[in-house]
Amino acid sequence: MKVLVTGGLGFIGSHTVVELQQKGYEVLIVDNLSNSTLEVLEGIKKITGKKPSFEKIDLRRKLQINDLFKKHPDIKGVIHFAASKAVGESVDKPLHYYENNLASLIFLLQEMQERQIKNFIFSSSCTVYGEPDILPVTEQAPIKPALSPYGNTKQIGEEIIRDTVKASSNIKAIALRYFNPIGAHPSGDIGELPRGIPQNLVPFVTQTAAGIRAELSVYGNDYPTPDGTAIRDYIHVMDLAKSHVIALERLFKQQQKNNFEVFNIGTGYGTSVMDIIKTFEKVTGLSLKYKIVGRRPGDVVAVWADTKLASKELGWKAEFGLEDALRDAWNWQQRLLLK
Ligand code: NAD
Ligand code: WQD
């Protein structure tokens, strides 16, 4: 069964490709290499023994997508990861974000509709909840006005899919709202490749421990949380990867309750920035240099997932713990240093 994985050379996409291949799926990756490299294909091959098919395509180009589907008429499902994801950059370049994240989505759905390809999985984000009123946050929580153009692309993306599914009897979709993905494949053969200075916490932690960054800035310790630092739900990327295969199989087996479903994909546990630092120090035996600085504008205080729906409907729950995720992130960082 052939599955198209857009953005399949990226962080979450590459780990999902590994899971798909290990489950026997034939994977076709498309990526424009804007935030990834071809080396990832070798990493995937090292783990699974098989190099996935790859086409370098920019999903903002409708004709390229059209050619792709003509060349591969046997695609049975699409997992759509490709997007730009830097929240701060999206504030400076909103049009790039709206074009890249939404034009690609529209073109893919048009092509699927035309060719009667039914099964679609979309990368959404906990960012759609903003600062939730009730924790843990459920899928029924209100969608708050987006805090960034990036966040808005995820909200609009979900709406585009909802309307498309309603209008077309063909397409069935699942949006997975990821919380904070971290870690790497335990082998250290694939992982996250942040460009420039990492904006996300864990890559900044591992680069600081590796001596690439002088020290970590902890953005605020005056939040109304037990230790004053902000709380998130950090999920191992391999657990996240597995949820995609399960969601896709739910569509293949026609087990969905309606034609557009949304699931939180997190651990269900909240972890503070200080917890991350302490756990990282514990699993690595290193001492991390950090300083407390002011809050980062736009950050929410606390968000973690209610995972009951994913557990009930998908039969999925996170299996790796925070220690595993931080150990694997550090293992990957050390492999990068050797390259
Ligand atoms: P990533 O940047 O590592 O991967 C995205 C991949 O898409 C990259 O390989 C990039 O080259 C490719 N790409 C981007 N634009 C493209 C285009 N126009 N045509 C073809 N390829 C294109 O990001 P990731 O962390 O793996 O995120 C994957 C998805 O999950 C994204 O949609 C992101 O918004 C979403 N998401 C990520 C996080 C997170 O914290 N990493 C959290 C929630 C949701
Ligand atoms: C985590 C915590 C920071 C860096 C972002 C996107 C969100 C989603 C996931 C895509 C926060 C603190 C961070 C640092 C720090 N992505 N921090 N020092 O902000 O929860 O979510 O990624 O959909 O949309 O906004 O993740 O890793 O940036 O931050 O103290 O150098 O770590 O303040 O509390 P965030 P993050």
Side-chain angles (χ1 to χ4, degrees):
M1 188 105 84
K2 191 183 274 186
V3 177
L4 173 65
V5 181
T6 77
L9 295 184
F11 175 40
I12 306 168
S14 56
H15 292 80
T16 303
V17 169
V18 164
E19 278 297 309
L20 285 165
Q21 288 197 333
Q22 287 178 336
K23 284 265 161 125
Y25 290 97
E26 192 188 337
V27 176
L28 168 62
I29 294 177
V30 303
D31 204 298
N32 67 354
L33 304 176
S34 59
N35 199 33
S36 51
T37 68
L38 281 174
E39 261 178 74
V40 177
L41 287 172
E42 301 303 329
I44 294 170
K45 186 178 169 199
K46 236 176 137 190
I47 298 167
T48 65
K50 191 179 171 208
K51 206 166 167 174
S53 317
F54 171 71
E55 302 264 2
K56 184 167 184 260
I57 278 180
D58 191 326
L59 294 162
R60 289 169 298 182
R61 308 281 169 259
K62 194 171 164 60
L63 286 178
Q64 291 188 12
I65 302 180
N66 188 258
D67 287 344
L68 174 86
F69 279 91
K70 266 193 216 146
K71 198 170 149 192
H72 300 274
D74 49 347
I75 292 169
K76 296 282 182 267
V78 178
I79 307 184
H80 181 41
F81 291 104
S84 302
K85 64 165 179 178
V87 175
E89 185 189 51
S90 79
V91 176
D92 298 330
K93 298 180 181 168
L95 292 178
H96 168 77
Y97 273 69
Y98 286 114
E99 182 192 25
N100 203 39
N101 294 7
L102 297 179
S104 59
L105 173 64
I106 293 168
F107 295 157
L108 277 171
L109 289 171
Q110 284 174 331
E111 205 62 47
M112 288 177 67
Q113 201 162 4
E114 222 152 273
R115 291 171 192 279
Q116 313 255 328
I117 298 168
K118 294 192 174 82
N119 308 299
F120 188 71
I121 308 287
F122 179 64
S123 297
S124 190
S125 167
C126 67
T127 191
V128 302
Y129 299 119
E131 183 83 65
D133 302 318
I134 299 169
L135 287 165
V137 67
T138 70
E139 291 81 354
Q140 278 73 49
I143 301 299
K144 298 278 180 74
L147 293 169
S148 69
Y150 167 75
N152 211 17
T153 67
K154 293 298 171 191
Q155 297 189 1
I156 299 170
E158 286 193 13
E159 285 170 18
I160 290 172
I161 298 167
R162 189 170 289 111
D163 290 342
T164 305
V165 162
K166 213 191 283 174
S168 144
S169 55
N170 294 325
I171 299 177
K172 299 171 295 169
I174 293 179
L176 300 177
R177 291 180 179 157
Y178 318 149
F179 282 67
N180 289 52
I182 61 167
H185 192 272
S187 65
D189 290 322
I190 54 171
E192 188 169 8
L193 279 173
R195 289 198 161 193
I197 301 172
Q199 303 304 307
N200 293 116
L201 177 62
V202 171
F204 206 104
V205 165
T206 59
Q207 288 197 6
T208 305
I212 302 167
R213 311 282 157 207
E215 65 184 341
L216 169 74
S217 293
V218 174
Y219 297 139
N221 69 347
D222 58 350
Y223 284 110
T225 61
D227 67 18
T229 63
I231 295 177
R232 299 288 183 273
D233 185 336
Y234 296 93
I235 174 163
H236 196 297
V237 66
M238 286 312 299
D239 278 327
L240 188 55
K242 284 179 193 156
S243 72
H244 291 80
V245 182
I246 294 173
L248 189 66
E249 289 179 345
R250 181 176 174 87
L251 295 181
F252 284 152
K253 292 179 192 155
Q254 308 213 31
Q255 289 169 334
Q256 73 282 359
K257 293 269 156 68
N258 56 64
N259 285 345
F260 181 45
E261 294 182 312
V262 175
F263 295 105
N264 282 344
I265 303 293
T267 64
Y269 297 100
T271 301
S272 73
V273 178
M274 282 313 298
D275 290 335
I276 290 280
I277 294 173
K278 283 190 205 141
T279 310
F280 181 81
E281 290 184 329
K282 183 181 158 205
V283 298
T284 61
L286 300 167
S287 161
L288 193 76
K289 280 192 79 182
Y290 69 89
K291 64 173 178 212
I292 309 292
V293 301
R295 296 180 179 190
R296 183 170 68 176
D299 269 350
V300 301
V301 180
V303 59
W304 66 92
D306 186 314
T307 57
K308 283 201 271 306
L309 192 67
S311 160
K312 179 169 172 260
E313 294 296 330
L314 300 177
W316 171 92
K317 66 174 175 46
E319 283 163 5
F320 288 98
L322 186 62
E323 292 192 5
D324 304 312
L326 292 174
R327 191 180 301 115
D328 291 338
W330 177 234
N331 181 36
W332 165 245
Q333 179 66 63
Q334 287 172 297
R335 290 283 288 270
L336 281 178
L337 289 177
L338 298 175
K339 283 189 179 174

